[in-house]
Amino acid sequence: MKKYLLISFLLLAGLGASAQRFAYVDTEYILKHLPEYKSALSQIDGLSKQYQSQIDESFNEIDKMYKAYQADQVLLTDDMRKRRENDIIEKEKKAKELQRQKFGPDGELFQMRTKLLKPIQEKVATIVGETAKNKTIDFVFDKSSESTMMIYASSSYDISNDVIVRLGYKPGTLVK
């Protein structure tokens, strides 16, 4: 009797699992259709270049100080030599701290990226959820995500164009 109950349970569970519907989206593809995403990336890129030039300038100044120190080293007293070495070391510490403040995990660039991209990503996620509910889809995977590996996906399940239409844009017209 237990055997029949177990088999019945497994059969019902199998039938329930086969009724689930899966779909995938390519968020990278979707985001390429959004002008606000392109604009945010441009802002982030500009800020990154600005920060990098500040940091490069600091390291170039340190390099000049070091070369001048090497050229003058034989003419300097021990006290002057130590003072210039300390100046170079202090300047290098400041440059590395600036680099960490701008590009570190909690740096200004990361914070700006989060500030600009999070609302766009949330908007897309909301529309994906609504589209999945309207199409009675149980699961939606992100094809472009590195953490979710997809071996095969039928294109009939791709709802990326539906999401782009619901966002108010035309599929296939990428932002340049």
Side-chain angles (χ1 to χ4, degrees):
M1 183 69 170
K2 286 183 181 180
K3 196 176 200 181
Y4 290 115
L5 283 174
L6 181 62
I7 291 173
S8 297
F9 175 74
L10 290 175
L11 272 172
L12 288 174
L15 289 174
S18 67
Q20 294 173 341
R21 293 190 48 191
F22 297 86
Y24 73 93
V25 293
D26 187 345
T27 53
E28 209 171 291
Y29 172 73
I30 293 169
L31 291 172
K32 286 179 183 176
H33 282 76
L34 306 179
E36 61 261 35
Y37 181 74
K38 178 80 172 172
S39 172
L41 287 181
S42 295
Q43 281 183 277
I44 292 167
D45 189 45
L47 199 57
S48 174
K49 287 178 182 175
Q50 176 186 340
Y51 291 161
Q52 190 60 49
S53 70
Q54 288 175 351
I55 291 166
D56 289 344
E57 190 177 302
S58 294
F59 280 109
N60 286 338
E61 193 175 318
I62 293 166
D63 192 45
K64 287 177 187 175
M65 287 174 68
Y66 183 71
K67 286 178 181 175
Y69 166 75
Q70 282 183 322
D72 298 341
Q73 188 175 10
V74 289
L75 304 173
L76 300 173
T77 65
D78 284 341
D79 187 44
M80 292 172 73
R81 196 176 305 137
K82 284 194 188 285
R83 197 172 331 123
R84 292 206 28 204
E85 286 173 0
N86 288 337
D87 288 346
I88 292 169
I89 290 169
E90 193 60 37
K91 191 90 166 166
E92 190 172 8
K93 283 181 184 177
K94 286 180 182 177
K96 287 181 179 180
E97 177 62 23
L98 177 67
Q99 188 174 33
R100 189 193 61 72
Q101 287 175 351
K102 301 296 183 185
F103 292 106
D106 296 324
E108 291 177 28
L109 188 66
F110 181 78
Q111 291 173 0
M112 181 59 77
R113 182 178 195 86
T114 302
K115 178 184 168 191
L116 292 174
L117 296 181
K118 190 174 182 176
I120 298 167
Q121 292 168 333
E122 287 175 350
K123 179 181 175 182
V124 170
T126 301
I127 297 296
V128 166
E130 290 172 3
T131 304
K133 285 178 187 173
N134 291 342
K135 290 184 163 254
T136 63
I137 295 170
D138 295 317
F139 299 98
V140 177
F141 296 98
D142 185 359
K143 180 180 172 184
S144 64
S145 173
E146 292 177 17
S147 61
T148 304
M149 188 172 171
M150 192 173 285
I151 309 283
Y152 172 79
S154 173
S155 61
S156 64
Y157 288 114
D158 186 353
I159 60 171
S160 299
N161 284 335
D162 296 328
V163 171
I164 292 168
V165 168
R166 295 266 326 263
L167 285 167
Y169 300 100
K170 183 178 177 186
T173 55
L174 303 178
V175 178
K176 295 177 184 174

